Amino acid sequence: MTQKPEVDATIIVPSYRGVDRLPQLLDSLADQQDGTPSFEVIVVVDGADDGSVALLENETRLDLRSIVFPENRGRVAALNAGFEAARGDVLIRCDDDLVPGPDYVSAHVNAHRGSSGGVIGLYLNEYSTTPYAEVYGRDADERFRRDAYSAAPSVVWRYWAGNCSITREVWESVGPYDPEYRLYGWEDVDYGYRIIAAGFEVRLAPELETPHRVAAVTTAIRARRAFHSGAARRLFERKHPQAGLPSAVPGWSLWNALVRGLSRVPLNPARLAGVVDALLRFLPRGVGRKLVALSVESSALGGYRSPHTAKENF
């Protein structure tokens, strides 16, 4: 028999070297509006303590517990530890670089009134002023959110990420995040797909959009993540061949020929993209945007084609 939840919601925060990010998150969670449903916060410190443990021990405004790994085990392990320890009825995944508004908890809890499933709030990405952000990052973010809101309900699960929530019923039915995803990417998409495969609904909730302090502020960082994400996609496709993803290999065009060709260059994607970063200050905006896009797209395809090299490019 399922034990009755002790609080309305649990916020699970996986954190790796988060001492500079956590204060703003904790301030935001401590500033929830009057009448907010009861909630607890679980922060999982994923090894490599940088002062995060002391910061959390000194937090007195919140019903907060911390789980501390003695070594880095990865985001999936951190998520699963937090979800397993949760006492809430609504389980909210919240990355440590989010800045929730005063209605954050209420909005997540209310989104599950009368239904059991998964709810996604998109990021409102906030970029540092870098050449990458100016020529590519902000525009790419706007396109991403526009595409997400116009997506068919049957494919919304693909947007499962770091600002989402499920009911306890879903967690008990679907189970933990898959530990085979060790590097960056696709553990979230995998979980979103498993929710709908278990017969639950996944939907986007515009009222849950939340500011997000972007970590990928250069082409080099973005390309490295794209490479790892491409490699992780191969794992997802092996596990869920019936998911109906569009092909990861682009069709034939002049642009796609460049992407295909560059994806085969045996270089660390971050190093190659670093050259692009060095050039962005001197190039016309349109040319810079094309070079960033070429770096990101070819890195993603390179990771997809050579997933065994992902650890070498970490």
Side-chain angles (χ1 to χ4, degrees), residues 99-233:
V99 187
D103 62 344
Y104 181 77
V105 176
S106 294
H108 269 287
V109 172
N110 290 336
H112 293 279
R113 300 289 188 194
S115 65
S116 185
V119 178
I120 303 168
L122 296 181
Y123 294 151
L124 290 173
N125 285 326
E126 298 178 342
Y127 286 89
S128 302
T129 302
T130 65
Y132 164 83
E134 294 299 312
V135 306
Y136 183 84
R138 292 190 175 96
D139 288 343
D141 179 51
E142 290 181 8
R143 290 195 303 273
F144 176 86
R145 293 196 301 117
R146 184 171 60 247
D147 291 346
Y149 285 126
S150 63
S154 60
V155 299
V156 164
W157 55 268
R158 297 177 187 174
Y159 296 95
W160 198 261
N163 176 27
C164 56
S165 58
I166 56 176
T167 57
R168 179 163 293 279
E169 179 186 359
V170 173
W171 172 253
E172 293 174 351
S173 176
V174 176
Y177 282 74
D178 191 330
E180 283 197 59
Y181 294 92
R182 282 288 299 163
L183 298 178
Y184 177 84
W186 286 81
E187 77 282 349
D188 291 314
V189 180
D190 180 279
Y191 204 81
Y193 179 74
R194 287 166 55 204
I195 292 173
I196 62 118
F200 297 99
E201 178 189 26
V202 173
R203 63 183 181 87
L204 287 170
E207 68 274 16
L208 291 176
E209 286 187 352
T210 300
H212 172 243
R213 293 160 288 167
V214 177
V217 295
T218 66
T219 311
I221 297 172
R222 182 67 184 85
R224 184 168 59 246
R225 291 188 169 194
F227 189 92
H228 292 155
S229 181
R233 175 177 175 147

Side-chain angles (χ1 to χ4, degrees), residues 68-118:
V68 182
F69 290 167
E71 71 286 321
N72 178 239
R73 298 178 185 174
R75 184 163 56 184
V76 168
L79 284 169
N80 287 339
F83 275 86
E84 288 289 353
R87 301 175 301 174
D89 186 38
V90 173
L91 309 178
I92 304 169
R93 154 83 185 277
C94 178
D95 282 354
D96 67 1
D97 49 8
L98 293 181
V99 187
D103 62 344
Y104 181 77
V105 176
S106 294
H108 269 287
V109 172
N110 290 336
H112 293 279
R113 300 289 188 194
S115 65
S116 185

Side-chain angles (χ1 to χ4, degrees), residues 29 31-32 74 84 107 117 171 173 188 214 256 260 266 283 304:
L29 294 178
D31 196 31
Q32 295 297 290
E84 288 289 353
W171 172 253
S173 176
D188 291 314
V214 177
N256 289 341
R260 286 169 176 259
L283 295 173
Y304 181 79

